[in-house]
Amino acid sequence: PLPPQNNMSAFVPSTSFLPTTAPVASFTRPAVLPRVAVPARVSAVADAPPSTLNTSKSDAILAEARKYIPGGVNSPVRAFKSVGGNPVVFERVKGSKAWDVDGNEYIDYIGSWGPAIVGHAHDEVLEYLAETMQKGTSFGAPGPLENVLAKAVVEAVPALEMVRFVNSGTEATLSALRLMRAYTGRTKFIKFSGCYHGHADMYLVQAGSGVLTLGLPDSPGVPEATTKTTLVAKYNDLDSVKKLFEENKGEICGIILEPVVGNSGFIPPTQEFLEGLREVTKENGALLCFDEVMTGFRIAYGGAQAHFGIEPDLSCFGKVIGGGLPVGAYGGKREIMEMVAPSGPMYQAGTLSGNPLAMAAGIKTLEILRRPGSYEQLAEKTETLINGILAAGKEAGHAVCGGFISGMFGFFFQEGPVTSFEDATRSDSAKFARWHRGMLEEGIYLAPSLYEAGFMSLAHTDEDIQKTIEAAKKVFARI
C-alpha cells in the first residue's frame, strides 16, 4: 500500500522585510558575440568574509581543477558564485553528513540535489549495488532490473502507464517535449518563468536555478530560431496561460512545469492553478507535462501529482529514482508513449539507458520509501527545521518567509509571500549570501544559491535538526 500523502497545510509561511540590492554578477562573453545586459534582479557576492574553516586542501584541489575543468566544477551552481568564497570539496558522505577533504563535517541539506532521500550511502543501497556490480556495470542490452524499476514507478505514479528510462533529467524533459510535439503535430509549448527543465536549448528561456545564480539572462549559443516556439507564462497565474493559448490558437503542443518549483527557490502552486492548467490543456487539445525530476517520490511516493490529485499526460523523473546514480525517465499514458521508438516513429535512444547499477539503486531506494511512516517522518522533520529557522530569523529582526511540502523546503529573505519567480527576485540576495557563509562556518551545508530548494532525508536526526536551528540563531544574530 502507498504511504498516506501529505496535504498543503505543510506549507508554512512566515514574514518580515528588509530588502537590499547586491552587486550584479559579471560574465565575459567572446568578442564575436553581442553583449547582453545582465538583469539587475540577479546578484552575486564577489568577496566573502574571512573564513574560520580550514579549507586549504579544498582550495588547492579547486585551483588545479580550474586548469582542466571550466570554472573548476562540472555543474555551475557548485562554484559558489552567488554566495562568495570557494566551495568545499567533498571526500565522503554518509547518512545526513558530508566530510570535506580538510576533515570538516557538515550536516547536509542538499543531498546530492535531491536523490539522497534515504540518506547518503545507505547500507542497503550499497549492498544491493555491490551484488549487482558483480554481474557487470553496463550491458547495452535489456536487463531484468529495468522491468523491476519500471513496474515500481508505474505502480506508484497515478498518471503513468508506460515509462522510458534515460540518463538525466535533461534527457527526460527534452524527450518529453519531442513526444508532445510528435503526438500533437504542433511545435509551440508553454513553460514558466523561473522554471528550469534542464539545459536543452529550447528550455533556456527565462530559466531558473544555475542560469539565475550566475547572472546569465539566458545562454549564448542558443539560436533564436530554437526558442521562437518557447512561450513563457507566469507561475501561479492562470490568466497568463490562457492569454498565450488565445494568441496561438491550434499551435501549442502542451505545457511543461515544475508542479512545485525548486529552481527559483521553493515555490508551491495553488490547487486552483494546477486544476486550471489541466482544464485549459484539455480544452485546447494540448498535453500537460509535470517535470517531477525534483518532486517525484520526494513530496509524496506518487509525486506531486499524487499529492495534489492532478493527472498530467506526461511526467518526467530523475534524482530519487536513481538512488544517487545518474538516471532520468519520462512516461505517461500508453497511447502517447507508444509513439516512442521502437513502438512508434518518435526517435529517442541512449547507450547507458537502463544501466543496471542505476536501476538497482533506484529499486532499493523506492523499497525503503515504501516502508510505513517514511513520508510522515520526512514531513515532521522538515516542519521542525523550517519553523525553527523562520522563528530564529524573525526573532533576530530579519525578513524571512518560506515553507515546505514533505521533504522539500525553502525560504526567502523577504517579507513574502512568494508565489512566482518574479516575487522571488525581490529577495535580499546579499543577506542570503552572508547567511549561507555563516551556516557553512557552523557546519551546515545548504544550497549555495538563493534560487534552489533544500532537501531533508530519512537519515537526519533530531540532533541534526536542533543543531541546525541553533546554528541559524547564531548566524542570524551576526548578520
Side-chain angles (χ1 to χ4, degrees), residues 190 241-249 252 255 284 286:
I190 297 173
V241 177
K242 291 179 177 178
K243 185 173 185 289
L244 289 174
F245 272 106
E246 184 65 28
E247 293 172 349
N248 299 272
K249 285 184 178 295
I252 297 173
I255 296 173
N284 287 275

Side-chain angles (χ1 to χ4, degrees), residues 16 42 68 128 143 170 181-182 205 238 296 325 367 424 433 435 456 461:
S16 60
V42 181
Y68 307 107
Y128 195 32
T170 292
R181 286 169 164 168
V205 178
L238 190 59
L325 275 71
E367 178 188 316
W435 189 76
M456 182 66 70
T461 65

Side-chain angles (χ1 to χ4, degrees), residues 174-301:
L174 71 86
S175 301
L177 178 56
R178 184 182 302 159
L179 180 55
M180 285 197 288
R181 286 169 164 168
Y183 184 77
T184 62
R186 304 171 182 177
T187 57
K188 293 182 179 180
F189 74 99
I190 297 173
K191 70 177 292 290
F192 294 89
S193 55
C195 283
Y196 178 74
H197 304 292
H199 56 83
D201 286 2
M202 59 280 192
Y203 289 130
L204 289 179
V205 178
Q206 297 188 39
S209 191
V211 177
L212 296 173
T213 298
L214 293 179
L216 308 181
D218 289 302
S219 178
V222 177
E224 182 181 351
T226 303
T227 58
K228 279 186 175 179
T229 57
T230 305
L231 308 175
V232 182
K234 182 179 179 181
Y235 196 81
N236 271 325
D237 184 344
L238 190 59
D239 287 340
S240 70
V241 177
K242 291 179 177 178
K243 185 173 185 289
L244 289 174
F245 272 106
E246 184 65 28
E247 293 172 349
N248 299 272
K249 285 184 178 295
E251 298 181 87
I252 297 173
C253 69
I255 296 173
I256 186 169
L257 77 156
E258 296 178 78
V260 176
V261 178
N263 286 289
S264 293
F266 174 83
I267 305 174
T270 65
Q271 186 71 29
E272 294 76 18
F273 176 63
L274 293 184
E275 290 175 356
L277 293 180
R278 179 66 284 182
E279 183 178 344
V280 75
T281 48
K282 287 182 177 179
E283 288 174 351
N284 287 275
L287 301 180
L288 179 62
C289 179
F290 277 10
D291 178 353
E292 296 229 42
V293 169
M294 270 195 191
T295 56
F297 296 90
R298 173 158 285 280
I299 71 169
Y301 188 71

Side-chain angles (χ1 to χ4, degrees), residues 404-426:
F404 72 99
I405 302 176
S406 188
M408 182 177 176
F409 65 86
F411 36 84
F412 296 95
F413 281 70
Q414 62 156 292
E415 181 179 356
V418 175
T419 63
S420 66
F421 160 69
E422 289 77 9
D423 293 338
T425 61
R426 292 195 286 270

Side-chain angles (χ1 to χ4, degrees), residues 4-10 298-300 307 375-376 379 405-407:
Q5 309 303 336
N6 303 307
N7 56 46
M8 273 302 288
S9 64
R298 173 158 285 280
I299 71 169
H307 178 85
Y375 288 89
E376 289 82 359
I405 302 176
S406 188

Side-chain angles (χ1 to χ4, degrees), residues 58-74 87 89:
S58 282
D59 294 344
I61 289 171
L62 286 163
E64 180 183 40
R66 291 186 186 103
K67 297 178 182 178
Y68 307 107
I69 302 169
V73 295
N74 283 303
V89 176

Side-chain angles (χ1 to χ4, degrees), residues 406-475:
S406 188
M408 182 177 176
F409 65 86
F411 36 84
F412 296 95
F413 281 70
Q414 62 156 292
E415 181 179 356
V418 175
T419 63
S420 66
F421 160 69
E422 289 77 9
D423 293 338
T425 61
R426 292 195 286 270
S427 298
D428 188 339
S429 54
K431 183 177 286 187
F432 171 81
R434 296 194 299 273
W435 189 76
H436 179 273
R437 172 54 59 171
M439 292 296 279
L440 191 69
E441 303 279 341
E442 294 290 336
I444 310 300
Y445 194 75
L446 297 162
S449 170
L450 176 68
Y451 297 107
E452 292 284 357
F455 303 104
M456 182 66 70
S457 81
L458 292 173
H460 283 86
T461 65
D462 291 343
E463 182 181 356
D464 290 335
I465 294 166
Q466 289 307 314
K467 182 177 178 180
T468 304
I469 293 170
E470 290 305 312
K473 290 179 181 179
K474 292 179 185 178
V475 177

